[in-house]
Amino acid sequence: MTDNISIPEEIMHRADTLMEDRFARTDRNLPVVATLFELGLSHVTRDLMENPDLYKPQADMSMPKKKFEPVDPIALMRKEIKLPSLPQVFIEMRQVINDPSSSASDLAKVISQDTALSAFLLRMVNSAFYSFPAQIDTISRAVAVIGTNQLSTLAMGTSVMDMFKGLPADIIDLELFWRHSFSCGIIASHLSKTFKQGTPEKCFVAGLLHDIGRPVMMMTLPDRAVAATAISRNKKALMFKAEQIVTGFDHAELGGMLLRKWNLPFSLVNAVLNHHNPAKASKSPEALYVYFANIIAKTMGIGGSGDFFIRNVNNERWEKHGLTPDKLRQLDSELTPILDEAFSILKNMNN
């Protein structure tokens, strides 16, 4: 990716320092970990040159001094937690999907009322994400080509992206958050297509929403969310483990409960709930691919939800599921143009 480009020594040093920090708790003698580091270093070096603004220095955070008592996540969810309202298009789509008398044209009509969502979906279906040979120029045509279930899953997942726009940047950088989430969805979908397991659209949406518990925690338990971030940074701890220290649960559990509350399909709930738990994810392709995609996206340094460190992977687990070092390099070369185009779509969506 950085071949034939003159890279300033300062950029190379910054990229190497960042990656050494990110992989501080891993065993780089493991073939898969060594390959992830190699590919990630290439991506981060390129990104530092092309998007230096995405790599702002982190503010120093002191360790929390008080001990937090556990919170009951079920009680938290039962309360009318102060979240932004679900987008109207999300609510209307769910009503159409749950109505046995509705048709594909009814779904197309609902989506078409939201011009921003329609434009986003048309750009997605005409991108390398699908690689259709002919141009698709209407939502009705997209429904016909992709299918009602697939397009509705895609539309419902992406409609949620506007929910947290009011959060202050000093609490969570939403540009970085959605950049990471979007890339995780793209990678999970690509793994589904490559290994022909699971549903690519469900994998995309599960990846897109896998960290949704993070902004929810920021809104409902801000002091604890900040404390977890401080613990993660100072101790180089995985964020979900730091969250468990200050709340008794983590963003994956909170996100899974939220999706359940929204009555989303169980496959999506399960994927979000278990994206840090590969042992429980192994029987669900969507959950397993989101687990893999999350680590790959973090390795590449693509955005972030505040969780910067890479966990030590089980080399045999990755290779057993086809993610050998050679396959990871092949996937990296396939994903680069898809991700580049996807980020262009995401940037236009947010402008």
Side-chain angles (χ1 to χ4, degrees):
M1 238 179 305
T2 51
D3 293 349
N4 304 319
I5 298 175
S6 178
I7 304 169
E9 189 172 331
E10 179 191 354
I11 294 290
M12 292 180 66
H13 177 70
R14 279 189 67 195
D16 192 61
T17 300
L18 193 153
M19 290 298 292
E20 291 283 352
D21 197 38
R22 189 167 282 159
F23 277 73
R25 292 186 176 273
T26 64
D27 178 2
R28 281 165 47 197
N29 290 317
L30 297 172
V32 166
V33 177
T35 305
L36 288 170
F37 183 91
E38 165 202 323
L39 297 174
L41 182 61
S42 178
H43 276 275
V44 169
T45 302
R46 174 194 176 197
D47 218 22
L48 275 168
M49 293 182 69
E50 296 179 357
N51 302 292
D53 291 344
L54 296 178
Y55 290 82
K56 303 164 190 168
Q58 292 181 355
D60 289 334
M61 299 182 76
S62 57
M63 285 284 288
K65 294 179 180 177
K66 70 175 183 178
K67 183 177 179 181
F68 293 93
E69 294 298 321
V71 175
D72 180 358
I74 297 175
L76 183 70
M77 197 59 62
R78 279 179 181 155
K79 292 179 185 176
E80 282 304 315
I81 55 176
K82 294 180 180 178
L83 288 177
S85 299
L86 277 170
Q88 185 63 27
V89 67
F90 180 103
I91 296 169
E92 292 181 15
M93 277 190 290
R94 196 165 59 186
Q95 289 171 345
V96 168
I97 293 163
N98 292 334
D99 182 354
S101 65
S102 66
S103 65
S105 62
D106 293 325
L107 177 65
K109 191 182 297 182
V110 169
I111 295 173
S112 297
Q113 290 172 358
D114 187 319
T115 53
L117 178 61
S118 298
F120 171 82
L121 290 174
L122 287 175
R123 289 200 70 187
M124 283 292 288
V125 298
N126 285 298
S127 73
F129 185 73
Y130 281 103
S131 299
F132 288 130
Q135 185 81 1
I136 296 170
D137 55 5
T138 67
I139 293 296
S140 296
R141 179 67 182 147
V143 173
V145 172
I146 299 172
T148 303
N149 290 336
Q150 285 77 9
L151 192 72
S152 63
T153 299
L154 200 62
M156 282 204 299
T158 52
S159 71
V160 172
M161 291 175 67
D162 280 343
M163 277 187 63
F164 302 100
K165 278 192 172 176
L167 273 176
D170 59 344
I171 291 181
I172 187 169
D173 189 321
L174 285 175
E175 180 182 356
L176 292 181
F177 176 81
W178 286 120
R179 192 173 158 90
H180 167 74
S181 301
F182 204 60
S183 67
C184 189
I186 295 285
I187 295 167
S189 174
H190 192 75
L191 292 174
S192 174
K193 293 173 186 174
T194 299
F195 296 110
K196 296 181 173 54
Q197 292 190 62
T199 306
E201 287 79 13
K202 282 185 180 178
C203 286
F204 172 76
V205 174
L208 184 69
L209 301 181
H210 77 289
D211 273 341
I212 199 167
R214 285 286 295 153
V216 171
M217 194 175 288
M218 290 283 186
M219 296 188 78
T220 57
L221 299 168
D223 291 349
R224 293 170 190 259
V226 170
T229 301
I231 292 171
S232 176
R233 289 185 188 176
N234 284 284
K235 297 292 188 181
K236 299 191 190 308
L238 296 170
M239 183 63 74
F240 76 95
K241 293 191 174 181
E243 289 168 344
Q244 288 167 356
I245 292 171
V246 299
T247 66
F249 58 90
D250 58 37
H251 66 273
E253 187 174 352
L254 192 61
M257 292 172 69
L258 183 65
L259 266 56
R260 189 71 178 146
K261 186 174 182 178
W262 289 346
N263 293 318
L264 291 186
F266 178 73
S267 57
L268 295 181
V269 175
N270 187 41
V272 170
L273 181 64
N274 289 311
H275 74 269
H276 290 302
N277 197 338
K280 288 189 176 179
S282 59
K283 294 181 181 178
S284 162
E286 287 85 7
L288 190 65
Y289 291 146
V290 172
Y291 157 74
F292 288 134
N294 182 44
I295 293 175
I296 293 170
K298 282 205 296 180
T299 292
M300 292 177 177
I302 302 172
S305 61
D307 189 6
F308 297 100
F309 302 107
I310 305 298
R311 67 191 299 171
N312 208 32
V313 307
N314 181 316
N315 199 84
E316 288 71 26
R317 177 183 290 120
W318 283 59
E319 295 201 355
K320 172 187 172 184
H321 290 282
L323 290 168
T324 62
D326 286 344
K327 190 62 177 178
L328 283 168
R329 292 189 185 92
Q330 180 189 333
L331 287 168
D332 181 66
S333 65
E334 293 169 356
L335 281 164
T336 297
I338 298 173
L339 287 168
D340 286 346
E341 187 175 10
F343 289 140
S344 172
I345 295 170
L346 183 64
K347 188 173 182 180
N348 285 341
M349 184 183 182
N350 290 330
N351 287 339

